[in-house]
Amino acid sequence: MKRSLVLCIVFGALSAGPALSGEIREHTTYFMVSGKSFDELNRQLGMKGPDIGGGDRHAGSTEVSFKSDTSYKAVPGGCRIGQARVKLDLRTTLPRWSAPSNSTRETRVLWKTLRDDIATHEAEHAHIAKSWLKRIEDKIRSLPAEANCSLMESRANAEIRAMIKHHDADQLAFDAAESKRIDARLKRKLDENMSRLAAR
């Protein structure tokens, strides 16, 4: 007996299913921003960045998609998980700037500092998703047999839904923590990069 499960949760776009062996595919796309000053670039991020819901534009985004097919195997006295295949698709969107020849060195340093921080932030979202893929795999592997395959399927799906809620909470908690520390971190990195520039 083979079943597919798709769940959608708002974090970029998220769907999920039972997992026994993981396959991860990653893809990065870029949106272009223009301008010769940092203020112009910052406005461009607000105008052209990805919209992940609510109409607000973001400087970057990571779309997470878990997809799987699961089989259930009848055994003496009941039913257990047969095989399950899962794919984790990660689609990251980041900004790219082609610096004009008359942009200042300071603007270039400002942009590099911000761009690198955005990329690091989105990489952490991907890391969180990968860690939950492993947890889902381990959880489904550990499920005991049920009296029949209908119950086995219901149990597996319920466990996955619960784990996806925890995954979603982890992603939101990370964003909440980032909102409190990003200004201080960017200032520290910018001061370091500007000091290197001045020392040249």
Side-chain angles (χ1 to χ4, degrees), residues 171-183:
Q171 298 282 14
L172 293 175
F174 169 64
D175 275 336
E178 280 283 271
S179 69
K180 296 177 182 178
R181 62 194 177 209
I182 187 171
D183 288 343

Side-chain angles (χ1 to χ4, degrees), residues 4 16 22 33 36 50-51 55 62 74 88 97 104 112-113 120 130-131 134 136-137 144 151 157 159 184-185 200:
S4 296
V33 295
K36 63 180 181 180
D51 180 358
T62 299
L88 170 58
W97 176 47
T104 65
K112 182 181 184 304
T113 303
T120 299
K130 291 174 185 178
S131 71
K134 180 65 166 61
I136 293 171
E137 290 175 343
L151 289 174
N157 290 349
E159 293 289 351
R185 183 179 67 240
R200 291 177 182 174

Side-chain angles (χ1 to χ4, degrees), residues 53-186:
D56 293 329
R57 296 283 177 174
H58 293 255
S61 70
T62 299
E63 180 179 309
V64 180
S65 176
F66 292 91
K67 298 179 181 178
S68 70
D69 292 312
T70 305
S71 64
Y72 302 90
K73 183 177 181 179
V75 295
C79 181
R80 64 175 177 81
I81 298 288
Q83 291 185 337
R85 295 179 180 178
V86 67
K87 292 181 179 179
L88 170 58
D89 288 330
L90 298 166
R91 300 184 66 85
T92 300
T93 303
L94 297 172
R96 177 171 284 172
W97 176 47
S98 180
S101 59
N102 60 346
S103 61
T104 65
R105 290 197 304 166
E106 288 76 11
T107 299
R108 292 171 188 254
V109 170
L110 281 165
W111 173 255
K112 182 181 184 304
T113 303
L114 180 59
R115 180 202 64 196
D116 290 351
D117 195 78
I118 294 168
T120 299
H121 175 92
E122 298 308 328
E124 181 59 24
H125 276 304
H127 174 75
I128 291 169
K130 291 174 185 178
S131 71
W132 275 100
L133 172 61
K134 180 65 166 61
R135 294 184 208 183
I136 293 171
E137 290 175 343
D138 291 344
K139 182 63 176 181
I140 300 304
R141 286 192 184 106
S142 70
L143 289 178
E146 294 287 346
N148 56 61
C149 288
S150 179
L151 289 174
M152 187 75 257
E153 180 182 4
S154 295
R155 173 70 182 278
N157 290 349
E159 293 289 351
I160 292 163
R161 288 188 179 95
M163 297 193 79
I164 290 300
K165 287 182 179 179
H166 288 304
H167 163 272
D168 191 50
D170 269 5
Q171 298 282 14
L172 293 175
F174 169 64
D175 275 336
E178 280 283 271
S179 69
K180 296 177 182 178
R181 62 194 177 209
I182 187 171
D183 288 343
R185 183 179 67 240
L186 279 174

